Amino acid sequence: MDDKSLTFWEHLDELRSVIVRIVACLFILSIVMFFFKDWLFGLVLAPAHNDFILYKLIDSLAAIGNAQVDDFQSQLINTELTGQFMVHMQVAFYAAIIIGSPYILSQIFSYVAPALYANERKMLGIAITAGSVLFYIGVVLSYILIFPLSFRFLVMYQVSTEVTNMIQLTSYIDTMMLLCLMMGILFELPLISILLAKFGFISARLMSQYRRHAVLAILVVAAIITPTTDIFTLMIVSLPIYILYEGSIICVRLISKSSKIS
């Protein structure tokens, strides 16, 4: 379909169709994931146990260095009558977003495809694949490293030994899913940068020129999505995003050279 042949209302109608397909996909996947409760919550609640892979690694490294690591114990509680059922629905929906992300990306790209040149449309498959891989890398990094470190720090932190930490299930789920989804979205930075460069909104020179501003923005975003206030966790979140920013500059520079864009 030629983008120039579409009217404003036709664009809106096409956008509505894309949104409807995405919502339908998430609805179906949410129902499917709802019936995989044991597997789903076995995965989601794994970082709450002291035998999680990252905690074992920390203990092993501490043993090598003859350092003492405090025992890690956590207790999740629910204080609302419908709390566990609502959390079940919530986690199923989040799982649907993560699993359905390739389809969501394909629908978004299909909407913008008519505005691209024919040779650029051929690259949509690569863009969708790259976007999906980057999203999953961000989600896995948050699940394996960022959230467990944050959770362990907060559970073990006490203002007094007289106060015992009992973590609300909803707080645990909200924090985990926020970090996973936000890291997944932030890992789309290289792909978004390439698209913006293609449309002439940014360039490698501009991104390099405003590197200091980008670093500040990265720290602010990391501080917003990080549930802890310690500098260690903040750096763990900020470092991969900064590396992605530098990688985005390289990608934009390569794309600009191949497209003969100054």
Side-chain angles (χ1 to χ4, degrees), residues 12-24:
L12 287 181
D13 187 61
E14 182 64 24
L15 178 60
R16 183 191 62 179
S17 299
V18 169
I19 294 175
V20 168
R21 288 193 291 269
I22 291 176
V23 171

mmCIF file with all atom_site columns, all heavy atoms in Angstrom, residues 12-24:
data_model
loop_
_atom_site.group_PDB
_atom_site.id
_atom_site.type_symbol
_atom_site.label_atom_id
_atom_site.label_alt_id
_atom_site.label_comp_id
_atom_site.label_asym_id
_atom_site.label_entity_id
_atom_site.label_seq_id
_atom_site.pdbx_PDB_ins_code
_atom_site.Cartn_x
_atom_site.Cartn_y
_atom_site.Cartn_z
_atom_site.occupancy
_atom_site.B_iso_or_equiv
_atom_site.pdbx_formal_charge
_atom_site.auth_seq_id
_atom_site.auth_comp_id
_atom_site.auth_asym_id
_atom_site.auth_atom_id
_atom_site.pdbx_PDB_model_num
ATOM 1   N N   . LEU A 1 12 ? -5.780  6.709   10.531 1.00 0.00 ? 12 LEU A N   1
ATOM 2   C CA  . LEU A 1 12 ? -6.353  6.423   11.841 1.00 0.00 ? 12 LEU A CA  1
ATOM 3   C C   . LEU A 1 12 ? -7.024  5.054   11.860 1.00 0.00 ? 12 LEU A C   1
ATOM 4   O O   . LEU A 1 12 ? -6.932  4.322   12.865 1.00 0.00 ? 12 LEU A O   1
ATOM 5   C CB  . LEU A 1 12 ? -7.374  7.503   12.217 1.00 0.00 ? 12 LEU A CB  1
ATOM 6   C CG  . LEU A 1 12 ? -6.817  8.870   12.614 1.00 0.00 ? 12 LEU A CG  1
ATOM 7   C CD1 . LEU A 1 12 ? -7.953  9.808   12.979 1.00 0.00 ? 12 LEU A CD1 1
ATOM 8   C CD2 . LEU A 1 12 ? -5.843  8.738   13.785 1.00 0.00 ? 12 LEU A CD2 1
ATOM 9   N N   . ASP A 1 13 ? -7.694  4.703   10.769 1.00 0.00 ? 13 ASP A N   1
ATOM 10  C CA  . ASP A 1 13 ? -8.354  3.403   10.691 1.00 0.00 ? 13 ASP A CA  1
ATOM 11  C C   . ASP A 1 13 ? -7.326  2.270   10.710 1.00 0.00 ? 13 ASP A C   1
ATOM 12  O O   . ASP A 1 13 ? -7.531  1.241   11.362 1.00 0.00 ? 13 ASP A O   1
ATOM 13  C CB  . ASP A 1 13 ? -9.194  3.328   9.416  1.00 0.00 ? 13 ASP A CB  1
ATOM 14  C CG  . ASP A 1 13 ? -10.035 2.071   9.357  1.00 0.00 ? 13 ASP A CG  1
ATOM 15  O OD1 . ASP A 1 13 ? -10.884 1.890   10.253 1.00 0.00 ? 13 ASP A OD1 1
ATOM 16  O OD2 . ASP A 1 13 ? -9.820  1.252   8.432  1.00 0.00 ? 13 ASP A OD2 1
ATOM 17  N N   . GLU A 1 14 ? -6.214  2.475   10.005 1.00 0.00 ? 14 GLU A N   1
ATOM 18  C CA  . GLU A 1 14 ? -5.147  1.475   10.011 1.00 0.00 ? 14 GLU A CA  1
ATOM 19  C C   . GLU A 1 14 ? -4.518  1.352   11.393 1.00 0.00 ? 14 GLU A C   1
ATOM 20  O O   . GLU A 1 14 ? -4.216  0.245   11.854 1.00 0.00 ? 14 GLU A O   1
ATOM 21  C CB  . GLU A 1 14 ? -4.082  1.854   8.978  1.00 0.00 ? 14 GLU A CB  1
ATOM 22  C CG  . GLU A 1 14 ? -2.946  0.856   8.856  1.00 0.00 ? 14 GLU A CG  1
ATOM 23  C CD  . GLU A 1 14 ? -3.391  -0.493  8.346  1.00 0.00 ? 14 GLU A CD  1
ATOM 24  O OE1 . GLU A 1 14 ? -4.448  -0.556  7.673  1.00 0.00 ? 14 GLU A OE1 1
ATOM 25  O OE2 . GLU A 1 14 ? -2.707  -1.493  8.638  1.00 0.00 ? 14 GLU A OE2 1
ATOM 26  N N   . LEU A 1 15 ? -4.347  2.487   12.066 1.00 0.00 ? 15 LEU A N   1
ATOM 27  C CA  . LEU A 1 15 ? -3.801  2.478   13.419 1.00 0.00 ? 15 LEU A CA  1
ATOM 28  C C   . LEU A 1 15 ? -4.736  1.737   14.361 1.00 0.00 ? 15 LEU A C   1
ATOM 29  O O   . LEU A 1 15 ? -4.291  0.968   15.218 1.00 0.00 ? 15 LEU A O   1
ATOM 30  C CB  . LEU A 1 15 ? -3.577  3.906   13.904 1.00 0.00 ? 15 LEU A CB  1
ATOM 31  C CG  . LEU A 1 15 ? -3.041  4.064   15.334 1.00 0.00 ? 15 LEU A CG  1
ATOM 32  C CD1 . LEU A 1 15 ? -1.694  3.369   15.491 1.00 0.00 ? 15 LEU A CD1 1
ATOM 33  C CD2 . LEU A 1 15 ? -2.938  5.540   15.702 1.00 0.00 ? 15 LEU A CD2 1
ATOM 34  N N   . ARG A 1 16 ? -6.030  1.958   14.199 1.00 0.00 ? 16 ARG A N   1
ATOM 35  C CA  . ARG A 1 16 ? -7.010  1.261   15.041 1.00 0.00 ? 16 ARG A CA  1
ATOM 36  C C   . ARG A 1 16 ? -6.928  -0.244  14.826 1.00 0.00 ? 16 ARG A C   1
ATOM 37  O O   . ARG A 1 16 ? -6.992  -1.017  15.789 1.00 0.00 ? 16 ARG A O   1
ATOM 38  C CB  . ARG A 1 16 ? -8.422  1.758   14.711 1.00 0.00 ? 16 ARG A CB  1
ATOM 39  C CG  . ARG A 1 16 ? -9.516  1.151   15.595 1.00 0.00 ? 16 ARG A CG  1
ATOM 40  C CD  . ARG A 1 16 ? -10.894 1.447   15.066 1.00 0.00 ? 16 ARG A CD  1
ATOM 41  N NE  . ARG A 1 16 ? -11.082 0.856   13.742 1.00 0.00 ? 16 ARG A NE  1
ATOM 42  C CZ  . ARG A 1 16 ? -12.207 0.949   13.045 1.00 0.00 ? 16 ARG A CZ  1
ATOM 43  N NH1 . ARG A 1 16 ? -13.223 1.644   13.527 1.00 0.00 ? 16 ARG A NH1 1
ATOM 44  N NH2 . ARG A 1 16 ? -12.310 0.383   11.862 1.00 0.00 ? 16 ARG A NH2 1
ATOM 45  N N   . SER A 1 17 ? -6.767  -0.657  13.580 1.00 0.00 ? 17 SER A N   1
ATOM 46  C CA  . SER A 1 17 ? -6.658  -2.087  13.284 1.00 0.00 ? 17 SER A CA  1
ATOM 47  C C   . SER A 1 17 ? -5.425  -2.693  13.947 1.00 0.00 ? 17 SER A C   1
ATOM 48  O O   . SER A 1 17 ? -5.477  -3.808  14.473 1.00 0.00 ? 17 SER A O   1
ATOM 49  C CB  . SER A 1 17 ? -6.592  -2.302  11.767 1.00 0.00 ? 17 SER A CB  1
ATOM 50  O OG  . SER A 1 17 ? -7.762  -1.823  11.132 1.00 0.00 ? 17 SER A OG  1
ATOM 51  N N   . VAL A 1 18 ? -4.315  -1.950  13.925 1.00 0.00 ? 18 VAL A N   1
ATOM 52  C CA  . VAL A 1 18 ? -3.085  -2.422  14.563 1.00 0.00 ? 18 VAL A CA  1
ATOM 53  C C   . VAL A 1 18 ? -3.296  -2.576  16.062 1.00 0.00 ? 18 VAL A C   1
ATOM 54  O O   . VAL A 1 18 ? -2.905  -3.593  16.656 1.00 0.00 ? 18 VAL A O   1
ATOM 55  C CB  . VAL A 1 18 ? -1.926  -1.450  14.277 1.00 0.00 ? 18 VAL A CB  1
ATOM 56  C CG1 . VAL A 1 18 ? -0.721  -1.776  15.148 1.00 0.00 ? 18 VAL A CG1 1
ATOM 57  C CG2 . VAL A 1 18 ? -1.533  -1.504  12.807 1.00 0.00 ? 18 VAL A CG2 1
ATOM 58  N N   . ILE A 1 19 ? -3.920  -1.578  16.686 1.00 0.00 ? 19 ILE A N   1
ATOM 59  C CA  . ILE A 1 19 ? -4.169  -1.624  18.127 1.00 0.00 ? 19 ILE A CA  1
ATOM 60  C C   . ILE A 1 19 ? -5.079  -2.791  18.489 1.00 0.00 ? 19 ILE A C   1
ATOM 61  O O   . ILE A 1 19 ? -4.851  -3.500  19.482 1.00 0.00 ? 19 ILE A O   1
ATOM 62  C CB  . ILE A 1 19 ? -4.771  -0.290  18.608 1.00 0.00 ? 19 ILE A CB  1
ATOM 63  C CG1 . ILE A 1 19 ? -3.750  0.840   18.449 1.00 0.00 ? 19 ILE A CG1 1
ATOM 64  C CG2 . ILE A 1 19 ? -5.215  -0.396  20.065 1.00 0.00 ? 19 ILE A CG2 1
ATOM 65  C CD1 . ILE A 1 19 ? -4.294  2.206   18.781 1.00 0.00 ? 19 ILE A CD1 1
ATOM 66  N N   . VAL A 1 20 ? -6.120  -3.007  17.683 1.00 0.00 ? 20 VAL A N   1
ATOM 67  C CA  . VAL A 1 20 ? -7.055  -4.109  17.941 1.00 0.00 ? 20 VAL A CA  1
ATOM 68  C C   . VAL A 1 20 ? -6.339  -5.446  17.860 1.00 0.00 ? 20 VAL A C   1
ATOM 69  O O   . VAL A 1 20 ? -6.543  -6.331  18.707 1.00 0.00 ? 20 VAL A O   1
ATOM 70  C CB  . VAL A 1 20 ? -8.226  -4.065  16.934 1.00 0.00 ? 20 VAL A CB  1
ATOM 71  C CG1 . VAL A 1 20 ? -9.043  -5.361  17.010 1.00 0.00 ? 20 VAL A CG1 1
ATOM 72  C CG2 . VAL A 1 20 ? -9.120  -2.868  17.215 1.00 0.00 ? 20 VAL A CG2 1
ATOM 73  N N   . ARG A 1 21 ? -5.474  -5.619  16.874 1.00 0.00 ? 21 ARG A N   1
ATOM 74  C CA  . ARG A 1 21 ? -4.737  -6.884  16.733 1.00 0.00 ? 21 ARG A CA  1
ATOM 75  C C   . ARG A 1 21 ? -3.789  -7.106  17.904 1.00 0.00 ? 21 ARG A C   1
ATOM 76  O O   . ARG A 1 21 ? -3.649  -8.224  18.403 1.00 0.00 ? 21 ARG A O   1
ATOM 77  C CB  . ARG A 1 21 ? -3.973  -6.908  15.398 1.00 0.00 ? 21 ARG A CB  1
ATOM 78  C CG  . ARG A 1 21 ? -4.856  -7.063  14.180 1.00 0.00 ? 21 ARG A CG  1
ATOM 79  C CD  . ARG A 1 21 ? -4.035  -7.403  12.948 1.00 0.00 ? 21 ARG A CD  1
ATOM 80  N NE  . ARG A 1 21 ? -3.216  -6.281  12.523 1.00 0.00 ? 21 ARG A NE  1
ATOM 81  C CZ  . ARG A 1 21 ? -3.597  -5.354  11.641 1.00 0.00 ? 21 ARG A CZ  1
ATOM 82  N NH1 . ARG A 1 21 ? -4.819  -5.407  11.107 1.00 0.00 ? 21 ARG A NH1 1
ATOM 83  N NH2 . ARG A 1 21 ? -2.780  -4.382  11.290 1.00 0.00 ? 21 ARG A NH2 1
ATOM 84  N N   . ILE A 1 22 ? -3.140  -6.033  18.355 1.00 0.00 ? 22 ILE A N   1
ATOM 85  C CA  . ILE A 1 22 ? -2.232  -6.153  19.497 1.00 0.00 ? 22 ILE A CA  1
ATOM 86  C C   . ILE A 1 22 ? -2.997  -6.513  20.768 1.00 0.00 ? 22 ILE A C   1
ATOM 87  O O   . ILE A 1 22 ? -2.587  -7.400  21.531 1.00 0.00 ? 22 ILE A O   1
ATOM 88  C CB  . ILE A 1 22 ? -1.440  -4.847  19.703 1.00 0.00 ? 22 ILE A CB  1
ATOM 89  C CG1 . ILE A 1 22 ? -0.451  -4.639  18.551 1.00 0.00 ? 22 ILE A CG1 1
ATOM 90  C CG2 . ILE A 1 22 ? -0.701  -4.862  21.035 1.00 0.00 ? 22 ILE A CG2 1
ATOM 91  C CD1 . ILE A 1 22 ? 0.304   -3.326  18.615 1.00 0.00 ? 22 ILE A CD1 1
ATOM 92  N N   . VAL A 1 23 ? -4.114  -5.840  21.004 1.00 0.00 ? 23 VAL A N   1
ATOM 93  C CA  . VAL A 1 23 ? -4.935  -6.115  22.185 1.00 0.00 ? 23 VAL A CA  1
ATOM 94  C C   . VAL A 1 23 ? -5.460  -7.548  22.147 1.00 0.00 ? 23 VAL A C   1
ATOM 95  O O   . VAL A 1 23 ? -5.463  -8.257  23.170 1.00 0.00 ? 23 VAL A O   1
ATOM 96  C CB  . VAL A 1 23 ? -6.098  -5.113  22.277 1.00 0.00 ? 23 VAL A CB  1
ATOM 97  C CG1 . VAL A 1 23 ? -7.085  -5.530  23.367 1.00 0.00 ? 23 VAL A CG1 1
ATOM 98  C CG2 . VAL A 1 23 ? -5.584  -3.713  22.555 1.00 0.00 ? 23 VAL A CG2 1
ATOM 99  N N   . ALA A 1 24 ? -5.901  -8.011  20.969 1.00 0.00 ? 24 ALA A N   1
ATOM 100 C CA  . ALA A 1 24 ? -6.411  -9.375  20.833 1.00 0.00 ? 24 ALA A CA  1
ATOM 101 C C   . ALA A 1 24 ? -5.310  -10.392 21.131 1.00 0.00 ? 24 ALA A C   1
ATOM 102 O O   . ALA A 1 24 ? -5.536  -11.406 21.804 1.00 0.00 ? 24 ALA A O   1
ATOM 103 C CB  . ALA A 1 24 ? -6.960  -9.591  19.425 1.00 0.00 ? 24 ALA A CB  1
#
